[in-house]
Amino acid sequence: MTLSIIVPVLNEAAGIAAALARLSPLVDRGAELIVVDGGSTDDTVARARPLASHVIGAPRGRGAQMQRGVAIARGDVLLFLHADTVLPEAADRLVLDGLCRSGRVWGRFDVAIAGRHPLLAVVARMMNLRSRLTGIATGDQAMFATRAAYDAAGGFADIALMEDIALSKRLRRLGPPLCLRARAVTSGRRWEAGGVVRTIVLMWTLRFLFWCGVSPDRLARWYGYAPRPES
């Protein structure tokens, strides 16, 4: 099987070159690296171009951006990676070998959260435990799926928030996720900027309201995302 890595970005000029450079060993082994820009106003696109297989544009929003990346991807397996998340060593082999051995069609990594606050380690452990118990993964865990499973599940929805939760629910109908214990390390910047305890409460509240049927657009406004301009 072959792997396509899809990275949605928006104004990530400060760190995008380092993030993509870390993926160069995977590209050297045959992975396709697709960067999907949501309308950056900085140098993100220029800095990404020399390091990616493809750099394309899409309407802002991770769901829409990842849809656009999938549309041009050639891999048998799709891996969705946030720009501020670092994959474990040999992640491509872990994913492809793990899917082959387990017979499962989608999955995610355990996550660690980089930062100084001691509660971040607790948050990461709870995220990993919750994911194992519920079969739901989040974007911070570097979700992956076979192309066939992704298509069967209907792909990412173009919604303002919770696109990863929504896709997980549909993938779960095809079977449980492959939960790799190797850790993807994601940035704790949003936790520390908003206050760790406050962010925990906010995220759990938003997730509960999403399960209750509150629209992702309304949740995104509460979370602080500006609405996407109408085209």
Side-chain angles (χ1 to χ4, degrees):
M1 294 192 293
T2 55
L3 181 68
S4 291
I5 303 169
I6 299 169
V7 185
V9 297
L10 180 66
N11 293 330
E12 295 282 357
I16 191 62
L20 299 181
R22 286 191 290 265
L23 298 171
S24 60
L26 285 66
V27 174
D28 291 344
R29 290 195 290 269
E32 179 184 43
L33 178 55
I34 301 170
V35 174
V36 189
D37 183 68
S40 293
T41 56
D42 60 12
D43 291 334
T44 298
V45 170
R47 297 183 185 188
R49 261 198 198 104
L51 298 164
S53 309
H54 308 280
V55 178
I56 60 175
R60 173 165 56 87
R62 279 180 173 147
Q65 289 171 244
M66 291 186 288
Q67 281 181 2
R68 189 67 58 87
V70 169
I72 70 164
R74 297 190 299 267
D76 305 302
V77 176
L78 309 167
L79 188 152
F80 303 97
L81 181 66
H82 291 179
D84 61 358
T85 298
V86 179
L87 291 174
E89 187 176 355
D92 52 342
R93 293 167 179 164
L94 293 173
V95 169
L96 298 178
D97 292 348
L99 291 174
C100 286
R101 287 197 307 269
S102 68
R104 297 188 180 183
V105 295
W106 74 288
R108 60 28 161 215
F109 291 90
D110 273 1
V111 68
I113 304 175
R116 293 174 293 179
H117 199 290
L119 278 180
L120 292 177
V122 178
V123 172
R125 286 196 294 271
M126 293 302 294
M127 287 173 62
N128 297 330
L129 177 61
R130 183 193 68 227
S131 180
R132 281 189 168 80
L133 293 176
T134 64
I136 296 294
T138 66
D140 290 329
Q141 294 172 301
M143 294 172 60
F144 51 86
T146 67
R147 180 61 179 263
Y150 177 90
D151 290 343
F156 279 105
D158 183 6
I159 55 179
L161 204 65
M162 303 292 175
E163 74 289 333
D164 47 359
I165 304 297
L167 179 58
S168 288
K169 290 172 63 178
R170 297 193 301 274
L171 284 168
R172 189 175 58 179
R173 297 171 191 160
L174 304 178
L178 172 64
C179 297
L180 294 173
R181 292 193 177 274
R183 293 183 179 183
V185 181
T186 195
S187 169
R189 61 186 178 181
R190 85 164 180 254
W191 302 88
E192 293 180 330
V196 174
V197 174
R198 180 180 178 276
T199 303
I200 292 170
V201 173
L202 175 63
M203 293 306 297
W204 276 99
T205 301
L206 293 176
R207 191 165 289 132
F208 173 74
L209 292 173
F210 178 70
W211 284 99
C212 292
V214 177
S215 78
D217 285 342
R218 179 174 294 182
L219 296 178
R221 287 194 294 272
W222 291 342
Y223 189 56
Y225 282 165
R228 185 171 71 201
E230 294 293 334
S231 58

